Amino acid sequence: MGVFLCCVVGLAFIFQSHSLDIDNPLYRFKRYQASDWSDPSDCAARTKQPVVVTNTHNITLDIRMPGVIPAGSDNYLCMAVPVPLNRDSYIVDFVPHASMDTAHHMLLYGCQTPVSTSDYWDCGSVQGTCEDEASIMYAWARNAPPTKLPKDVGFRVGGTSGISYFVLQIHYGDISAFRDHHRDCSGLTLRMTSKPQPFVAGMYLLMSVDTIIPPGKRVTNADIACEYESFPIYPFAFRTHTHHLGKVVSGYRIRDGRWTLIGRQSPQLPQAFYPANKEADVKDGDTIAARCVFTGEGRTSKTYIGGTSGDEMCNFYIMYYMDSRNAIPFMNCMQTGSNELFRHIPLEANVPIAVSPDHMMSMMHSGHTRDHQDDRLPLEPKEEVWDQDYHLEEVITWPESQLQLGQVSGVALDSDANLVIFHRGDHRWGVNSFDGQDRYQQRSLGPIQQSTILVVDQVKGQVLKASGRNMFYLPHGITTDTENNYWVTDVALHQVMKISSRDTDKPLVVLGEAFIPGSDKNHFCQPTDVAVDTMTGNIYVSDGYCNARIIKLSPDGRYLSEWGAGSSDRRRRLPFRIPHSLAYLPDRQELCVADRENGRIQCFVAKTGEFIKEIKRDEFRGAVYAIAYSPAGGGLIYAVNGESPYSHSAPLRGFVINYSTKEIVDAFSPDKQAFKMPHDIVVNKDGVVFVGDAGSDTVFKFTSEKAHRSVKKGGIEVQELQEIETLVQTNLKPVHKVSVSMALATQQKTAAVPDKQTQPPQAQQKQSEGDRRKLETAAEQSSRQGVSPAVITTLLLIPLVLVISIGIFIRWRKSRMYGDGFEVKLEPNSGGGILGKLRGKAAGGLNLGNFFATHKGYTRQGFDRLSTEGSDQEKDDEDTTDSENEEYSAPPPPPVPSS
């Protein structure tokens, strides 16, 4: 019996393999290179390899240039490779093998018919890439590192998608890279699966086609915006692209007048996909907008949009997923946004992100010619976890009713323990607010008519008092003195004012000349903040955006002294680069300064200005926007970081720093929405922290009270709520079958919840031991109650053997009935023999024929360079998904309400 079963199964596999070979396009492949390409000079001589079939569902396809030498600079070379599967399949991973030392950029097109099937051809001329409409599916540039696709998401090709061939195009920029006459085999590896993916990926491209950058002009904006009119999309990554003149590119979703950031990055950094804001889903009726900021400095003639190195581009890519039932693979927007719409764009979109020369050098020497072992997202610093009981968490129920705020520039506390908010109403600081001499250019708007100073209850967030109408143009910093007066700064007026909290119609003291910047004793230049010595009443002003000094004034505003940045080494003193925020330390009689763009905190003796210490942490990663101080715990400095045009961006967070040791004791951030531009911070005597965010026009409240963290909600413990949430998410996630690993993962998540609460180490140890014993007991019971695999296999094979035996018997009877000349013909698309019929065919279709359709009149050479690297393909036949990546999470889209 056993021998008979083995023979039957063996024959079935033989029939399966033979049926796959009948119409398998793998036989058409002629150009595949060896897997090791570390030596470019020898790549053309290496043995070519076919497509690697990892299992019945997955294949790995190498597409490499066949050892080419470009004829000159700006040479475009192409090669074509047929799609290895006729049926619908999904690309779940792109792995590039190239270096920017050799290749300027690399693109992968999909089409029905390439213009040539020769080894390679010059595709930078009129000949182009495809006879039909080409769809860009992937691109690489500037040593972009891999980016992971979400789990259960893939790009569809083959079958009915309209894509039968891949065309690889490589732009070789500088011919001097080939002075040693080596041959190039740059390319990429595709990992594909035939298993249908629950979600289908797509691309939304915002592109400017008519921007003109005048020579020598400091700032030119390219604005694009379109109303979205389709099924919901869920962005999970974004990518920016310009040429050399681009400084920053930002993309937004606009809903009900509120701008929500999708992504923002420098186009001079590696042009990879970066994680998008998870809360920025887009639905019918929303507006999608993008802005590219250019500079014309250094150019002697106008710069236009085009494909050559002397032209420019403005592209913002949104990679999204959709429900497969409504999937649209590609959408674009090329409409110029109106000035009225972009008047409300957040300030962050106008702040350039500079790339340091050191970082450019590191990119130049980090070519991806080997397999990528580090799949972390680009420029995402490693999160550090501080092991302590103290931790600040957002109070998501504060305020109880929404505050009507503009850009929040300052926060303070008055003597009655109320929160004081300083905001800009309907005025916004934009790139055109000041000229080259730092003079305010929007005086015609008049002063802000709304109340710019709000006194708010700390507990409920109710507005107790509103003042400051028709007084300010661009508010910035605010603090209070012992008599409850407000000391404020206005960067447009270049002034510092003292205002009574009881009568705010007229300032008590005005320092500086209105709208006149200066650097002498009687003028300021965009002053940022004020601190008050609680003992002497002396005033300290950080001055500012265009001056790099701290000014000390008497209580009545008389000039006393000033000083700049300090250093323990006088030979290496680094000047202030925007002293942005001040904190007075009453128990130490010191003054600390947030030196914003230098990413550091410096502290001085308040009386003399003598330098004491500097706090500079890697976690700041660029900029320190604001600081506050509390004498609790021997002295704690509270700080918020921000994005800097002079260094790499970092997660925007708040920090609690031990003043004496300079160690970070806590890091915190909001739960319901991320920081956008945390601009000021204040802490009360109980350790409650308020952060004003100028990017989201919001004030956040944080507390470290344990009662807030472990309180029961409606009679249910927080741990129970998290367990229920995990269960709900598990039930909502579309899966084909439930696996044991999923159950174990859920059990591990729920078991890890108590770690978030404060417990004695002994209790945690006992709990973990108890959990371990429970798991061991469950495993033993499962093993005792389980059924032998051999028995299960035998039971499953019995029906199969019975069916095959009946079929053989019927065939024998028919041959007896009709004679030996009777022939049974197999359908060419029968799915591949017996096992193919059992497995069935992949269902559903995604037509990528219009994916990345080339814009008419837009040169092929100039089309954008894209990087969609790195999703895990299926590793096991028994897996129900084709990605093990956890960089992004793609939960099912919520159901669309019926109209």
Side-chain angles (χ1 to χ4, degrees):
M1 181 65 181
V3 175
F4 176 73
L5 291 176
C6 292
C7 293
V8 171
V9 174
L11 288 173
F13 275 108
I14 292 173
F15 294 154
Q16 164 76 5
S17 300
H18 180 69
S19 63
L20 285 175
D21 290 344
I22 292 175
D23 192 34
N24 194 338
L26 297 180
Y27 286 96
R28 297 180 294 173
F29 285 88
K30 298 181 178 180
R31 353 175 144 79
Y32 299 105
Q33 310 300 327
S35 59
D36 186 1
W37 300 84
S38 58
D39 185 3
S41 64
D42 192 36
C43 67
R46 296 184 181 272
T47 304
K48 299 177 181 179
Q49 67 176 18
V51 174
V52 177
V53 181
T54 58
N55 54 43
T56 57
H57 294 295
N58 299 336
I59 68 168
T60 298
L61 170 63
D62 258 348
I63 304 177
R64 307 287 189 100
M65 279 291 170
V68 301
I69 300 178
S73 296
D74 287 327
N75 194 195
Y76 286 76
L77 299 181
C78 289
M79 60 172 293
V81 175
V83 175
L85 298 176
N86 280 342
R87 59 185 182 273
D88 295 332
S89 53
Y90 298 82
I91 300 175
V92 294
D93 202 357
F94 300 89
V95 181
H97 307 285
S99 168
M100 66 183 292
D101 294 335
T102 301
H104 182 272
H105 73 262
M106 176 170 61
L107 298 96
L108 183 69
Y109 292 89
C111 61
Q112 286 275 18
T113 308
V115 298
S116 174
T117 56
S118 59
D119 284 350
Y120 68 94
W121 69 92
D122 185 344
C123 54
S125 60
V126 180
Q127 190 175 13
T129 56
C130 297
E131 295 286 355
D132 55 325
E133 195 169 42
S135 301
I136 293 182
M137 303 185 63
Y138 172 80
W140 168 97
R142 304 184 71 82
N143 289 345
T147 298
K148 293 293 186 181
L149 269 67
K151 196 172 184 179
D152 302 330
V153 174
F155 290 92
R156 192 169 186 172
V157 297
T160 59
S161 69
I163 296 177
S164 302
Y165 273 85
F166 297 121
V167 176
L168 174 66
Q169 179 193 74
I170 297 184
H171 173 199
Y172 295 98
D174 189 355
I175 190 62
S176 64
F178 290 84
R179 285 175 296 187
D180 58 353
H181 303 289
H182 76 270
R183 295 181 178 271
D184 182 63
C185 296
S186 299
L188 72 159
T189 298
L190 302 182
R191 291 174 183 158
M192 304 169 61
T193 179
S194 62
K195 298 190 71 174
Q197 300 297 288
F199 303 102
V200 175
M203 201 76 65
Y204 193 109
L205 170 62
L206 294 102
M207 177 171 62
S208 175
V209 295
D210 56 4
T211 298
I212 301 175
I213 305 171
K217 187 175 181 181
R218 184 180 178 185
V219 176
T220 297
N221 295 329
D223 296 335
I224 316 108
C226 289
E227 183 175 356
Y228 183 76
E229 299 175 342
S230 187
F231 296 100
I233 61 175
Y234 301 86
F236 61 86
F238 74 95
R239 178 180 179 270
T240 65
H241 173 67
T242 70
H243 289 172
H244 301 294
L245 302 184
K247 296 300 181 182
V248 61
V249 182
S250 308
Y252 294 88
R253 179 207 69 192
I254 308 173
R255 178 181 296 169
D256 299 328
R258 288 188 65 90
W259 293 64
T260 300
L261 181 69
I262 297 175
R264 172 178 175 267
Q265 190 55 277
S266 167
Q268 305 306 323
L269 292 173
Q271 294 183 1
F273 275 96
Y274 294 81
N277 179 6
K278 296 179 181 179
E279 298 180 356
D281 63 298
V282 182
K283 62 183 182 180
D284 186 27
D286 292 341
T287 297
I288 305 180
R291 165 171 284 182
C292 299
V293 178
F294 297 98
T295 179
E297 294 178 340
R299 292 292 175 96
T300 57
S301 59
K302 293 181 179 179
T303 304
Y304 298 88
I305 297 294
T308 71
S309 58
D311 295 326
E312 265 302 334
M313 290 184 180
C314 170
N315 294 351
F316 185 84
Y317 284 88
I318 303 172
M319 188 181 288
Y320 59 84
Y321 67 86
M322 302 181 71
D323 189 325
S324 59
R325 295 169 298 181
N326 306 316
I328 302 174
F330 175 72
M331 292 174 276
N332 64 4
C333 170
M334 300 180 187
Q335 296 179 13
T336 301
S338 67
N339 293 333
E340 175 62 25
L341 176 67
F342 278 84
R343 189 171 68 88
H344 304 287
I345 192 170
L347 174 64
E348 63 193 358
N350 302 316
V351 179
I353 299 177
V355 181
S356 66
D358 292 340
H359 185 73
M360 291 298 296
M361 290 301 296
S362 67
M363 288 196 303
M364 289 294 295
H365 298 288
S366 60
H368 296 271
T369 57
R370 303 298 298 250
D371 292 339
H372 295 279
Q373 298 177 357
D374 186 0
D375 288 343
R376 290 176 296 177
L377 292 175
L379 298 180
E380 286 292 327
K382 183 179 179 181
E383 292 285 342
E384 293 193 21
V385 178
W386 292 275
D387 183 18
Q388 76 287 319
D389 293 337
Y390 176 87
H391 179 61
L392 287 169
E393 293 182 354
E394 181 187 6
V395 182
I396 59 176
T397 57
W398 190 95
E400 293 183 353
S401 59
Q402 186 176 1
L403 298 172
Q404 300 299 318
L405 302 172
Q407 290 181 329
V408 180
S409 60
V411 289
L413 295 172
D414 63 16
S415 58
D416 298 322
N418 294 316
L419 177 67
V420 184
I421 301 173
F422 200 28
H423 72 104
R424 295 172 182 158
D426 59 357
H427 284 206
R428 306 191 76 84
W429 190 348
V431 69
N432 298 318
S433 296
F434 295 88
D435 63 12
Q437 286 73 43
D438 303 307
R439 294 177 181 268
Y440 188 57
Q441 298 296 294
Q442 296 172 333
R443 294 177 60 177
S444 59
L445 297 176
I448 301 170
Q449 297 180 5
Q450 297 88 0
S451 297
T452 56
I453 301 176
L454 303 180
V455 180
V456 176
D457 171 48
Q458 284 196 43
V459 179
K460 297 183 178 181
Q462 297 177 347
V463 177
L464 305 177
K465 185 179 181 181
S467 59
R469 293 174 179 265
N470 298 309
M471 295 181 64
F472 306 105
Y473 286 78
L474 279 181
H476 200 276
I478 186 170
T479 191
T480 59
D481 59 21
T482 55
E483 298 178 356
N484 226 22
N485 298 309
Y486 305 139
W487 286 88
V488 300
T489 67
D490 188 309
V491 292
L493 291 170
H494 303 286
Q495 287 183 321
V496 177
M497 302 180 190
K498 178 182 178 180
I499 301 172
S500 171
S501 61
R502 293 177 295 273
D503 182 12
T504 55
D505 293 336
K506 187 176 182 180
L508 301 177
V509 176
V510 178
L511 305 175
E513 187 176 355
F515 299 111
I516 304 299
S519 56
D520 56 26
K521 296 180 180 181
N522 300 316
H523 290 85
F524 302 99
C525 191
Q526 297 178 349
T528 55
D529 202 8
V530 180
V532 179
D533 186 332
T534 55
M535 297 294 293
T536 65
N538 288 334
I539 307 301
Y540 302 89
V541 179
S542 49
D543 182 37
Y545 280 92
C546 34
N547 287 331
R549 61 180 180 174
I550 306 299
I551 299 179
K552 180 180 178 181
L553 306 166
S554 66
D556 59 357
R558 180 170 49 88
Y559 176 90
L560 297 178
S561 64
E562 66 179 75
W563 65 82
S567 174
S568 56
D569 186 354
R570 294 180 178 272
R571 295 171 299 178
R572 302 181 60 184
R573 179 175 296 178
L574 185 66
F576 285 133
R577 196 185 296 183
I578 307 181
H580 196 257
S581 175
L582 299 176
Y584 183 76
L585 286 52
D587 57 335
R588 301 174 183 273
Q589 297 184 16
E590 296 175 8
L591 182 75
C592 291
V593 183
D595 186 7
R596 194 178 94 173
E597 301 305 328
N598 283 325
R600 64 185 181 182
I601 302 168
Q602 288 201 333
C603 298
F604 305 84
V605 176
K607 184 177 181 179
T608 63
E610 179 184 355
F611 175 74
I612 297 176
K613 68 192 312 179
E614 177 177 297
I615 302 174
K616 187 177 179 68
R617 300 282 306 187
D618 292 339
E619 292 81 0
F620 298 159
R621 288 294 294 273
V624 180
Y625 268 57
I627 56 175
Y629 178 78
S630 172
L636 297 173
I637 292 180
Y638 295 76
V640 287
N641 71 334
E643 295 182 351
S644 171
Y646 302 101
S647 59
H648 306 162
S649 59
L652 303 184
R653 297 181 291 179
F655 301 93
V656 184
I657 307 162
N658 185 300
Y659 173 86
S660 300
T661 65
K662 304 181 185 180
E663 295 297 322
I664 296 176
V665 299
D666 187 31
F668 59 94
S669 59
D671 295 325
K672 58 182 180 181
Q673 71 178 76
F675 283 139
K676 289 188 176 180
M677 186 183 288
H679 200 264
D680 201 7
I681 186 171
V682 68
V683 56
N684 69 10
K685 59 182 180 62
D686 297 320
V688 178
V689 175
F690 296 90
V691 176
D693 193 305
S696 60
D697 304 346
T698 306
V699 177
F700 298 93
K701 180 181 179 179
F702 300 87
T703 181
S704 61
E705 295 177 3
K706 295 181 181 178
H708 170 70
R709 298 160 56 194
S710 59
V711 68
K712 289 189 177 183
K713 299 179 180 180
I716 304 177
E717 296 264 3
V718 173
Q719 176 178 346
E720 296 171 352
L721 286 173
Q722 292 178 347
E723 291 176 353
I724 293 173
E725 182 181 2
T726 302
L727 178 62
V728 171
Q729 290 178 350
T730 303
N731 291 336
L732 286 177
K733 190 168 182 65
V735 294
H736 303 290
K737 61 183 179 180
V738 179
S739 66
V740 177
S741 61
M742 181 180 297
L744 290 176
T746 304
Q747 195 165 12
Q748 291 172 357
K749 288 181 181 179
T750 56
V753 171
D755 292 340
K756 299 181 181 180
Q757 303 175 2
T758 304
Q759 294 183 356
Q762 295 83 355
Q764 295 179 4
Q765 183 176 0
K766 290 180 180 179
Q767 183 176 357
S768 61
E769 290 178 359
D771 294 340
R772 179 176 56 81
R773 291 172 183 170
K774 290 179 181 178
L775 289 174
E776 291 176 353
T777 303
E780 291 175 1
Q781 293 176 354
S782 176
S783 63
R784 288 197 297 266
Q785 298 173 1
V787 183
S788 171
V791 176
I792 295 176
T793 304
T794 303
L795 292 174
L796 292 175
L797 284 176
I798 288 175
L800 176 64
V801 173
L802 182 61
V803 171
I804 294 174
S805 300
I806 294 173
I808 294 175
F809 176 74
I810 293 174
R811 179 182 176 86
W812 176 75
R813 288 296 303 271
K814 286 185 177 181
S815 64
R816 294 289 302 271
M817 182 181 300
Y818 296 106
D820 294 338
F822 176 76
E823 180 181 1
V824 179
K825 296 183 179 180
L826 296 176
E827 296 180 7
N829 296 323
S830 60
I834 297 173
L835 296 183
K837 291 181 179 294
L838 292 175
R839 187 170 62 249
K841 299 180 181 179
L846 170 60
N847 190 343
L848 291 182
N850 294 326
F851 189 66
F852 280 127
T854 304
H855 179 61
K856 292 184 178 180
Y858 193 66
T859 170
R860 292 183 186 272
Q861 295 186 15
F863 214 100
D864 183 40
R865 306 186 293 275
L866 173 65
S867 179
T868 56
E869 305 168 14
S871 137
D872 293 340
Q873 76 171 65
E874 176 188 336
K875 303 296 192 302
D876 195 321
D877 283 340
E878 295 182 359
D879 292 343
T880 58
T881 62
D882 299 287
S883 171
E884 297 175 354
N885 168 62
E886 297 298 335
E887 296 286 359
Y888 304 104
S889 176
V896 180
S898 58
S899 57

